[in-house]
Amino acid sequence: PVLHGYAVAWGLVGELYLSAVLQHFPQDKMRQTVRFIREHYEAINFTCNDYDRLFELMKHDKKNVGGEINFTLLSDVEKSGSTTTPRAN
């Protein structure tokens, strides 16, 4: 099992990446935060073979609505985020 705080920290890494790609969150701030997480939280090791299990675990996040996995995406630090379900283009 993974400690809740670790899951939150590493989930934040994913949300910051999506924020940088989809909301133009500043990459320097994303890198700074990811560096902090890498230095202070033990890595959660997984491979492509774990994606189905990760997907199942993500279904339990409190941001989800109607069975859809939602992410809180930020456009910058100190700006409120929007909760969204990313769609493939």
Side-chain angles (χ1 to χ4, degrees):
V2 175
L3 294 173
H4 179 74
Y6 283 63
V8 170
W10 287 104
L12 181 60
V13 169
E15 288 186 334
L16 284 175
Y17 173 78
L18 289 174
S19 294
V21 171
L22 300 173
Q23 299 291 326
H24 309 291
F25 185 85
Q27 289 190 8
D28 61 325
K29 293 177 183 175
M30 176 194 68
R31 287 187 188 107
Q32 179 184 11
T33 305
V34 170
R35 186 172 28 255
F36 177 87
I37 291 170
R38 290 180 77 184
E39 290 172 358
H40 293 88
Y41 291 85
E42 184 177 320
I44 297 175
N45 296 311
F46 61 91
T47 68
C48 297
N49 293 330
D50 299 314
Y51 286 173
D52 289 338
R53 179 68 179 134
L54 289 171
F55 184 75
E56 287 301 316
L57 291 169
M58 290 169 63
K59 288 181 178 180
H60 300 283
D61 192 275
K62 65 184 175 186
K63 292 184 296 287
N64 298 341
V65 176
E68 292 191 320
I69 295 174
N70 290 310
F71 298 90
T72 299
L73 304 182
L74 304 172
S75 60
D76 206 341
V77 174
E78 297 185 13
K79 289 189 177 180
S80 60
S82 61
T83 302
T84 186
T85 303
R87 304 271 183 231
N89 291 337

